[in-house]
Amino acid sequence: MMRAMPLALTPAQLDRAVTVSTEALRPGADLDWSVTAQGLTWSCRFTAEHMAGCHLGYALLVTGRRQERYLPMDLVLDDDADVPGIIDGLQGTGALLSSVLTTAPAEVVVWHPYGMADLSAVAGMGIIETLVHTWDITMALGLAFDPDADLCRSTLARMFPEVPADDDPWQSLLWATGRAELADRPRRPRWKWTNDLSAGSQPAA
């Protein structure tokens, strides 16, 4: 069954994604984050750095009103950053992106490689990067991670409207991002979300 109308995503939903992410990661603060994240060539530490960099990069797209290219800067962890500090950093960069989305004029549209993005799409981009890379890390470290079904369902509806509705929206989101196979669908070899500007017209409940 395909969805008739994708829903808009909000800063509050991004906040929820960051909260469930950091709650899942904190029990692993004493583990070895130099190990390779699930399905990636990056370490868990670098994957977390990438997540924080996405939050910052997306925030700068909005504050800079970018119409082409990212701003020429990036987030880099201190060499001596410990894991609790890295997790605090994820919480902070997620809150930064959420605050930027909350205060930006509703009509703002910014550049992204996948297409021009309204604020709903930027929120969705932040949610996807947060949830799927948290899964990459938790799988490598043996930690539990099972985000809210409603959050996953809304993210699928806005960012992957071609993905059929499913009884387990988290597994469907993992499938949509090339991280899992489902009983009726092999793993996706390639994937990307949509920033379609026509997709964000209805606010999510």
PDB file of all heavy atoms in Angstrom, residues 2 12 44 72 76 83 101 113 136 144 150 155 159:
ATOM      1  N   MET A   2       0.691   2.158  -0.943  1.00  0.00           N
ATOM      2  CA  MET A   2       1.470   3.382  -1.016  1.00  0.00           C
ATOM      3  C   MET A   2       0.748   4.509  -0.273  1.00  0.00           C
ATOM      4  O   MET A   2      -0.478   4.547  -0.226  1.00  0.00           O
ATOM      5  CB  MET A   2       1.689   3.789  -2.478  1.00  0.00           C
ATOM      6  CG  MET A   2       2.433   2.759  -3.303  1.00  0.00           C
ATOM      7  SD  MET A   2       4.118   2.460  -2.723  1.00  0.00           S
ATOM      8  CE  MET A   2       4.888   4.008  -3.177  1.00  0.00           C
ATOM      9  N   ALA A  12      10.533  19.364  16.341  1.00  0.00           N
ATOM     10  CA  ALA A  12      10.246  18.510  17.498  1.00  0.00           C
ATOM     11  C   ALA A  12      10.549  17.049  17.195  1.00  0.00           C
ATOM     12  O   ALA A  12      11.027  16.307  18.062  1.00  0.00           O
ATOM     13  CB  ALA A  12       8.786  18.674  17.931  1.00  0.00           C
ATOM     14  N   CYS A  44      33.252   3.729  14.620  1.00  0.00           N
ATOM     15  CA  CYS A  44      32.089   4.288  15.325  1.00  0.00           C
ATOM     16  C   CYS A  44      32.347   5.741  15.706  1.00  0.00           C
ATOM     17  O   CYS A  44      31.453   6.596  15.622  1.00  0.00           O
ATOM     18  CB  CYS A  44      31.783   3.460  16.568  1.00  0.00           C
ATOM     19  SG  CYS A  44      31.167   1.800  16.222  1.00  0.00           S
ATOM     20  N   PRO A  72      32.004  26.200   2.987  1.00  0.00           N
ATOM     21  CA  PRO A  72      33.307  25.517   2.963  1.00  0.00           C
ATOM     22  C   PRO A  72      33.919  25.351   4.344  1.00  0.00           C
ATOM     23  O   PRO A  72      34.994  25.886   4.648  1.00  0.00           O
ATOM     24  CB  PRO A  72      34.153  26.438   2.077  1.00  0.00           C
ATOM     25  CG  PRO A  72      33.587  27.797   2.335  1.00  0.00           C
ATOM     26  CD  PRO A  72      32.107  27.599   2.508  1.00  0.00           C
ATOM     27  N   VAL A  76      35.067  18.983  13.180  1.00  0.00           N
ATOM     28  CA  VAL A  76      36.095  17.977  13.428  1.00  0.00           C
ATOM     29  C   VAL A  76      36.227  17.789  14.939  1.00  0.00           C
ATOM     30  O   VAL A  76      36.302  18.769  15.688  1.00  0.00           O
ATOM     31  CB  VAL A  76      37.457  18.406  12.835  1.00  0.00           C
ATOM     32  CG1 VAL A  76      38.513  17.355  13.142  1.00  0.00           C
ATOM     33  CG2 VAL A  76      37.345  18.627  11.333  1.00  0.00           C
ATOM     34  N   VAL A  83      34.320   9.619  24.653  1.00  0.00           N
ATOM     35  CA  VAL A  83      33.016   9.229  24.114  1.00  0.00           C
ATOM     36  C   VAL A  83      31.869   9.980  24.781  1.00  0.00           C
ATOM     37  O   VAL A  83      30.955  10.450  24.082  1.00  0.00           O
ATOM     38  CB  VAL A  83      32.820   7.704  24.199  1.00  0.00           C
ATOM     39  CG1 VAL A  83      31.404   7.325  23.790  1.00  0.00           C
ATOM     40  CG2 VAL A  83      33.835   6.990  23.305  1.00  0.00           C
ATOM     41  N   LEU A 101      15.963  25.462  12.533  1.00  0.00           N
ATOM     42  CA  LEU A 101      14.729  25.168  11.812  1.00  0.00           C
ATOM     43  C   LEU A 101      13.529  25.846  12.459  1.00  0.00           C
ATOM     44  O   LEU A 101      12.598  26.270  11.764  1.00  0.00           O
ATOM     45  CB  LEU A 101      14.509  23.655  11.753  1.00  0.00           C
ATOM     46  CG  LEU A 101      15.519  22.874  10.918  1.00  0.00           C
ATOM     47  CD1 LEU A 101      15.317  21.371  11.102  1.00  0.00           C
ATOM     48  CD2 LEU A 101      15.423  23.236   9.452  1.00  0.00           C
ATOM     49  N   PRO A 113      22.510  18.205  -2.475  1.00  0.00           N
ATOM     50  CA  PRO A 113      22.789  17.374  -3.661  1.00  0.00           C
ATOM     51  C   PRO A 113      21.588  16.573  -4.159  1.00  0.00           C
ATOM     52  O   PRO A 113      21.516  16.240  -5.343  1.00  0.00           O
ATOM     53  CB  PRO A 113      23.908  16.441  -3.170  1.00  0.00           C
ATOM     54  CG  PRO A 113      24.572  17.173  -2.071  1.00  0.00           C
ATOM     55  CD  PRO A 113      23.490  17.968  -1.404  1.00  0.00           C
ATOM     56  N   ASP A 136      24.047   2.130  12.881  1.00  0.00           N
ATOM     57  CA  ASP A 136      25.365   1.638  12.467  1.00  0.00           C
ATOM     58  C   ASP A 136      26.286   1.452  13.677  1.00  0.00           C
ATOM     59  O   ASP A 136      27.018   0.465  13.776  1.00  0.00           O
ATOM     60  CB  ASP A 136      26.021   2.624  11.492  1.00  0.00           C
ATOM     61  CG  ASP A 136      25.248   2.807  10.203  1.00  0.00           C
ATOM     62  OD1 ASP A 136      24.494   1.895   9.817  1.00  0.00           O
ATOM     63  OD2 ASP A 136      25.407   3.883   9.583  1.00  0.00           O
ATOM     64  N   ALA A 144      21.283  -1.905  22.124  1.00  0.00           N
ATOM     65  CA  ALA A 144      19.911  -1.923  21.629  1.00  0.00           C
ATOM     66  C   ALA A 144      19.531  -0.563  21.065  1.00  0.00           C
ATOM     67  O   ALA A 144      19.916   0.473  21.611  1.00  0.00           O
ATOM     68  CB  ALA A 144      18.948  -2.305  22.759  1.00  0.00           C
ATOM     69  N   ASP A 150       6.190   5.812  15.282  1.00  0.00           N
ATOM     70  CA  ASP A 150       5.570   6.990  14.678  1.00  0.00           C
ATOM     71  C   ASP A 150       6.611   7.884  14.031  1.00  0.00           C
ATOM     72  O   ASP A 150       6.373   8.455  12.958  1.00  0.00           O
ATOM     73  CB  ASP A 150       4.784   7.775  15.727  1.00  0.00           C
ATOM     74  CG  ASP A 150       3.487   7.086  16.129  1.00  0.00           C
ATOM     75  OD1 ASP A 150       3.058   6.162  15.406  1.00  0.00           O
ATOM     76  OD2 ASP A 150       2.914   7.466  17.163  1.00  0.00           O
ATOM     77  N   THR A 155       8.934   9.815   8.983  1.00  0.00           N
ATOM     78  CA  THR A 155      10.144  10.041   8.195  1.00  0.00           C
ATOM     79  C   THR A 155      10.053   9.342   6.853  1.00  0.00           C
ATOM     80  O   THR A 155      10.400   9.906   5.805  1.00  0.00           O
ATOM     81  CB  THR A 155      11.381   9.561   8.976  1.00  0.00           C
ATOM     82  OG1 THR A 155      11.432  10.242  10.238  1.00  0.00           O
ATOM     83  CG2 THR A 155      12.662   9.846   8.206  1.00  0.00           C
ATOM     84  N   MET A 159      10.246  11.455   3.376  1.00  0.00           N
ATOM     85  CA  MET A 159      11.534  11.363   2.697  1.00  0.00           C
ATOM     86  C   MET A 159      11.648  10.185   1.735  1.00  0.00           C
ATOM     87  O   MET A 159      12.484  10.184   0.837  1.00  0.00           O
ATOM     88  CB  MET A 159      12.659  11.285   3.737  1.00  0.00           C
ATOM     89  CG  MET A 159      12.636  12.417   4.760  1.00  0.00           C
ATOM     90  SD  MET A 159      12.712  14.073   4.048  1.00  0.00           S
ATOM     91  CE  MET A 159      14.429  14.138   3.515  1.00  0.00           C
TER      92      MET A 159
END
